[in-house]
Every structure is written in structure tokens, then in C-alpha cells.
């Protein structure tokens, strides 16, 4: 390892030379209490910025073991530190002048959710900090301006590091509150399983968001108020007594008039698989962390998926036990999404009638009488929803606004009125009893066969032999692997583009190393999850440097991404 003074000498030697001479700066340098790594130097001032890392010894950083020892508090601490660092460097970005991306200093910009990121990793054993960021090395045209880079590396960066990554200079009270919130959220997640709850929404939560393009809480929004009949009380380790609505396992229906908050509640539950930062309004909206939002997805690719639980006897004779298509319909795509979520181990479906295929969800009594059962290949979701819970242990929370037949299947009914919930289960049953029973004269369905989950993707010879496969993110909507685009815009629980990038690297790794025609999809997904858990997200990148823009996705999104990869073949 070189000394910081040696980096200064290199910069002064290459000043005013052609831009490629910046390559001489690559390496590691001791800067007092931290090590600066110049891991990758951009080839041009207009190219992607250079990759820089910082390593701080745990003893020097000084963060207490109660913050770094357990995974949930360690991720929360890393999230808080990277937010602080981001605010600090924002004051200095582009203060060093030049052409192209000269002077840019950037790091992850987390949203409202707390995610495990490559931008800052903390060792559980030693407390060492590993920070990754990007810096645009300054130039005038394509001529090195080393004086401006020296300003960044020797003035701006040390000041930001000093204020951000040492416990002694940190806002210790704030970090204590971050740890306490993470512990309380973890406690509620454990209690959901103990108390057989699918989700919890605390009194006073703010569910509406600022706008369609902002995930911040809406100002002057109606705060959540729990109906007494669904009230649950937790005694949290730090915050003490907290009350809120506990949604039991089983089938829960959310109803109400338009614009009264049905979908807003469902969206909050959908995001409740992640922890949220203090001030978000959804800190104590906690959902079973395996929950999957199910919707129709016209046009998606489906590979060898057993959708026979819902669709059988297609007129074209297509095999629905091993269904495949490059252009799925609304009903076949939603059926595949259900089965694939089951394969991914979900315990909770979240469904909004508005984004579902109507013929997949329901057949009313009159339609069933006119178009006889033997002529209809679709067994609607409503006829399987009870079986999904009793036979497979999968609960459902369903938003409905136009079809009353769901009342007959619901264990609990919540009506939203001006963003306030009221439990109306008993009243809904009484009203339903005044109408012809949905089940009347309908044939009794036999229990469905357990879907087959032993799908094995073939070895990808092309990928295995291609060391230069590039991963390119397209926001949250898609990721491209060697020009094969995987559409993810309808995988609605992806909340950050860094998760999408991570999924791209994970699928690339699986294509090159794991798919062999013998391991099934479950085995591959579990292996990926295990590799990331044990070695970090960087272990699937296999590059000289770890990208600074990755966030760890859930295993459910790993399945979703692989199931939408058209390049994979059974």
C-alpha cells in the first residue's frame, strides 16, 4: 500500500498530460485513519465516473457492537451513514471544475426504504466500513487537471469522511434512534408470525404519498386510525406500547368507494415488506416479508410453468402443466404470477382488482349459467382463494370496488371511508345473505394438484463462454444483460433502481455459473441468496471492482427476474 504523499506526487507528475495518464493513480493509499482506493479510472472525462472506495478500520470508526453485530441494526446503521455522507458530498460535487463529468462526486441516494447496499458495507465481525462512490476525474478538454482532483481527494473528501464515518464525530443521539427503530421493526416482524398476522398498520401512520412522482409522506394527510375490532397492541423494546390494526392471516377484503384510500392502504402494505426511515409515516407499517403483489402482465414471457390450478383444457390443446408463451394474456400472466410466487415461498398475496384480469379473478353467477363450466378453461382465483390458505398457508389481501362476490370468501372485510378503515365483516355477511349465495348451484371444485416446481433451466453455453457480458440498468423498469432485456416494470415491489442492477448481475452469474440443466429454479435462487448473504452482493459481480450502485433484492424478486428472462430456456 502506498502513502497519500505518493498519490500527490503522481498527480503533480501527470498534470496537463493526456487523460489516459490518470490510469497511473490506480491503487490503494493510506490517508491517516482510512485507506483510499482508486479502483477504476474512467477512460475519458465524458465516460462513466471513476470508481473510488474507502476502508475504515472498525476500531477507528468506533461504532458500538450493538449497532454492528446484528444484521437488521447493521443495515440500518449503514443506511443512516450513507445518507449523511450523501448530504456532505452534495456540497462539494462539481466544485472542482472541468469538462464532461469533471468534479462529480456521487454516492447512493436511498429512498424511503432501508435497503442493504454495496455503497456501504459494515463487517459484522470487525465493524470495518467499506464505502464506495464515484468521482469524475477533472480535465480541461481531454487534458488532465490534477490540481482539481487533488482538491477533491485531499480537501473535500477527507472533510466529508470525518463528519460521516466516525462515531466520535457523529450525531450519536440520531444513530441511537436509528438502531432503536430497526430493533422495534424487527420485533414486530417476529410478532406477526407469533400472532398469525399477515400485516400490521400502526395508529397515526401516514399512508398517502406526496404525489405520483414523490414517495415522501403527504402533508396534512389523514392519519391512520385503527378500528377497535382489529386493534392489536405490541410492547416494543424501545418505543414501548404501540397500537394498530392487525390484519389476520386468511382472506381479507378491502372495499370502499373510489378515492377513499383502498389502493393507498394496499400500496403501503406492498411496501411494508421493507423497513422505512423515521419520518416516512410508514415506519410501523409492517407486512409479512414474503408478500408478493400479484397483477396481470400482458405480453410477458412464461417458461414451462404449471398453471393448471387455474387454467385447463385450452381449445388449442396447449399443455397448462408446462405452459409457455412469449406473449402472455392477462389471465395466463396472472396465473403464472401466482404460481411463481408460490414457488418463491410467499405466504401472502396482495391483489388490486384494478390491475387484475377480470376473467382470472371472478365469474359471476349469470355468466356461469350462460357459459357452462365445461366450456370455460379458467378456474377463477375466487374459487381457489380458500384452498390457497387452507392447503398452502397463503393468505390474500384483496382490494375490490365493483364485485360483491368476494364477500362470500372473505374472513375479514375492511371498508375505507375517507382514508379511515372500519371493519364491516359481520354487516357484509348479513348483506351477502340477502342475495343469492355465490356458491349456490356452482360445482364443487376438487382440490387442485400441487403445482410442479421442478423447472430446470438449461446450461447457457453462450453465457458461460462470454466473460464480457454487460449489465445495464434502465431505472426500475428493466435491466439488460448482453442486449437481452428483462422487463420488470410490473414487478411492483422493486423500489430502487439499484435492486434492478443487482438482479441483472445475479441473473448473469446464474446464467454463467449455476444453470446446468440439473438444478431447479428453487435451488438456483436459494444458492444466489446464500452467496449474497455470506459474501455480500459483490460476490456475484465478478469484476475488478464492486459497483457502488447495488441494493440487495428479496428472493421473491430474484425469482421474478429469472422468470422474465427470455434468454433462459428449459
Amino acid at each position: 500500500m502506498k502513502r497519500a504523499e505518493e498519490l500527490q506526487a503522481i498527480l503533480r507528475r501527470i498534470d496537463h498530460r493526456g487523460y489516459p495518464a490518470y490510469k497511473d493513480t490506480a491503487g490503494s493509499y493510506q490517508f491517516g485513519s482510512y485507506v483510499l482506493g482508486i479502483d477504476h479510472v474512467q477512460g475519458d472525462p465524458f465516460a462513466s465516473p471513476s470508481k473510488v472506495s474507502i476502508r475504515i478500520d472498525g476500531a477507528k470508526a468506533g461504532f458500538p457492537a450493538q449497532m454492528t453485530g446484528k444484521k437488521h441494526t447493521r443495515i440500518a446503521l449503514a443506511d443512516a451513514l450513507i445518507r449523511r455522507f450523501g448530504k456532505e458530498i452534495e456540497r462539494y460535487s462539481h466544485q472542482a471544475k472541468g469538462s464532461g463529468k469533471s468534479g462529480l462526486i456521487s454516492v447512493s441516494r436511498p429512498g424511503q426504504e432501508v435497503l442493504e447496499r454495496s455503497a456501504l458495507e459494515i463487517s459484522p465481525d470487525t465493524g470495518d466500513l467499506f464505502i464506495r462512490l464515484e468521482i469524475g476525474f477533472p480535465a480541461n478538454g481531454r487534458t488532465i487537471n490534477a490540481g482539481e482532483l487533488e482538491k477533491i481527494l485531499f480537501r473535500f473528501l477527507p472533510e466529508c469522511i470525518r463528519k460521516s464515518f466516525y462515531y466520535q464525530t457523529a450525531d450519536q443521539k440520531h444513530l441511537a434512534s436509528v438502531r432503536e427503530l430497526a430493533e422495534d421493526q424487527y420485533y414486530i416482524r417476529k410478532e406477526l408470525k407469533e400472532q398469525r398476522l399477515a400485516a400490521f398498520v400502526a395508529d397515526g401512520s401516514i399512508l398517502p404519498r406526496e404525489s405520483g412522482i414523490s414517495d415522501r409522506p403527504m402533508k396534512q394527510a389523514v392519519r391512520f386510525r385503527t378500528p377497535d375490532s382489529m386493534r392489536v397492541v405490541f410492547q416494543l423494546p424501545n418505543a414501548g406500547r404501540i397500537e394498530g390494526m392487525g390484519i389476520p392471516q386468511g382472506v381479507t377484503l378491502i372495499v370502499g368507494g373510489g378515492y377513499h384510500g383502498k389502493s393507498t392502504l394496499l400500496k403501503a402494505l406492498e411496501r411494508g415488506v421493507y423497513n422505512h426511515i423515521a419520518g416516512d409515516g410508514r415506519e410501523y407499517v409492517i407486512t409479512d416479508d414474503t408478500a408478493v403483489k400479484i397483477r396481470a402482465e400482458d405480453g410477458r414471457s412464461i417458461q414451462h410453468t404449471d398453471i393448471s390450478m387455474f387454467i385447463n383444457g385450452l381449445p388449442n390443446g396447449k399443455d397448462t402443466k408446462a405452459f409457455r408463451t412469449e406473449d402472455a394474456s392477462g389471465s395466463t400472466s396472472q396465473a403464472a404470477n401466482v404460481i411463481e410466487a408460490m414457488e418463491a415461498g410467499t405466504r401472502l398475496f396482495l391483489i388490486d382488482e384494478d390491475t387484475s384480469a377480470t376473467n382470472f379473478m371472478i365469474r359471476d353467477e349469470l355468466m356461469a349459467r350462460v357459459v357452462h363450466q365445461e366450456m370455460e378453461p379458467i378456474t377463477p382465483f375466487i374459487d381457489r382463494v380458500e384452498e390457497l390458505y387452507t392447503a398452502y398457508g397463503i393468505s390474500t389481501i384483496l382490494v375490490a370496488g365493483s364485485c360483491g362476490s368476494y364477500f362470500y370468501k372473505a374472513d375479514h372485510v375492511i371498508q375505507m371511508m375517507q382514508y379511515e378503515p372500519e371493519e364491516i365483516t359481520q354487516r357484509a355477511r348479513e348483506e351477502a345473505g340477502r342475495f343469492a349465495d355465490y356458491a349456490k348451484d356452482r360445482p364443487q371444485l376438487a382440490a387442485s394438484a400441487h403445482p410442479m416446481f421442478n423447472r430446470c433451466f438449461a446450461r447457457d453455453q453462450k453465457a458461460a463462454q462470454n466473460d464480457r457480458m454487460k449489465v445495464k440498468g434502465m431505472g426500475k423498469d428493466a435491466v439488460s444483460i448482453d442486449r437481452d432485456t428483462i422487463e420488470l416494470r410490473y414487478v411492483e415491489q422493486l423500489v430502487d433502481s439499484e435492486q434492478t442492477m443487482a438482479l441483472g448481475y445475479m441473473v448473469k452469474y446464474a446464467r454463467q455459473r449455476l444453470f446446468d440443466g440439473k438444478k431447479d429454479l428453487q435451488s438456483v435462487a436459494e444458492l444466489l441468496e446464500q452467496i449474497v448473504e455470506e459474501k455480500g452482493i459483490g460476490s456475484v459481480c465478478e469484476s475488478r471492482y464492486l459497483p457502488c450502485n447495488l441494493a440487495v433484492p428479496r428472493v421473491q424478486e430474484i425469482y421474478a427476474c429469472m422468470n422474465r428472462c427470455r434468454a433462459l430456456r428449459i
Side-chain angles (χ1 to χ4, degrees), residues 12-30:
R12 289 167 185 173
R13 172 172 57 81
I14 64 174
D15 195 19
H16 297 108
R17 289 174 55 182
Y19 203 86
Y22 261 140
K23 300 285 185 186
D24 293 354
T25 62
S28 298
Y29 303 89
Q30 185 70 54

Side-chain angles (χ1 to χ4, degrees), residues 472-521:
K472 181 181 179 182
M474 304 174 192
K476 288 189 297 182
D477 288 349
V479 63
S480 172
I481 306 171
D482 202 31
R483 298 181 183 177
D484 293 321
T485 299
I486 305 174
E487 295 287 345
L488 297 168
R489 73 184 65 196
Y490 295 130
V491 181
E492 296 186 24
Q493 286 164 291
L494 283 173
V495 296
D496 196 299
S497 59
E498 294 192 359
Q499 289 178 303
T500 308
M501 279 296 296
L503 285 170
Y505 281 107
M506 294 171 94
V507 172
K508 173 188 171 185
Y509 184 92
R511 287 176 62 183
Q512 290 181 321
R513 291 177 168 268
L514 301 181
F515 287 122
D516 56 7
K518 298 176 183 177
K519 297 186 190 74
D520 63 19
L521 187 56

Side-chain angles (χ1 to χ4, degrees), residues 19 22 42 45 89-105 134-140 144-157:
Y19 203 86
Y22 261 140
Q42 63 201 92
I89 65 172
E90 193 172 358
R91 299 189 295 118
Y92 294 107
S93 187
H94 289 298
Q95 281 200 22
K97 305 301 181 183
S99 52
K101 294 184 172 64
S102 293
L104 171 70
I105 313 173
E134 294 182 327
I135 297 177
F137 282 13
N140 297 321
I144 287 174
N145 189 337
E148 292 296 282
L149 181 57
E150 190 171 343
K151 191 190 299 182
I152 294 172
L153 300 181
F154 288 84
R155 283 176 47 198
F156 300 164
L157 205 54

Side-chain angles (χ1 to χ4, degrees), residues 56-68:
I56 304 174
D57 183 87
K60 293 176 181 176
F63 292 98
Q66 64 181 154
M67 291 184 175
T68 62

Side-chain angles (χ1 to χ4, degrees), residues 5 17 50 69 101 109 140 169 186 219 284 333 348 370 426 449:
E5 293 78 11
R17 289 174 55 182
S50 300
K101 294 184 172 64
R109 290 289 191 269
N140 297 321
T169 57
Y186 180 75
K219 296 175 182 176
Y284 295 116
S333 65
L348 175 62
V370 174
Q426 188 58 38

Side-chain angles (χ1 to χ4, degrees), residues 318-350:
K318 209 163 189 177
D319 183 9
T320 57
K321 286 186 175 293
F323 185 78
R324 65 175 71 217
T325 180
E326 290 297 313
D327 187 20
S329 66
S331 57
T332 56
S333 65
Q334 195 159 355
N337 288 343
V338 169
I339 299 303
E340 290 164 0
M342 292 173 70
E343 186 177 14
T346 187
R347 297 185 294 267
L348 175 62
F349 292 134
L350 303 171

Side-chain angles (χ1 to χ4, degrees), residues 98 110 138 147 167 229 238 277 353 360 375-376 384 392 414 421 424 433 483 492 539 548:
Y167 188 64
S229 58
N238 300 295
I277 58 172
E353 185 184 50
F360 172 77
M375 299 299 294
E376 174 55 69
R384 293 290 189 203
Y392 301 97
I414 300 168
I424 60 165
R483 298 181 183 177
E492 296 186 24
S539 55
C548 61

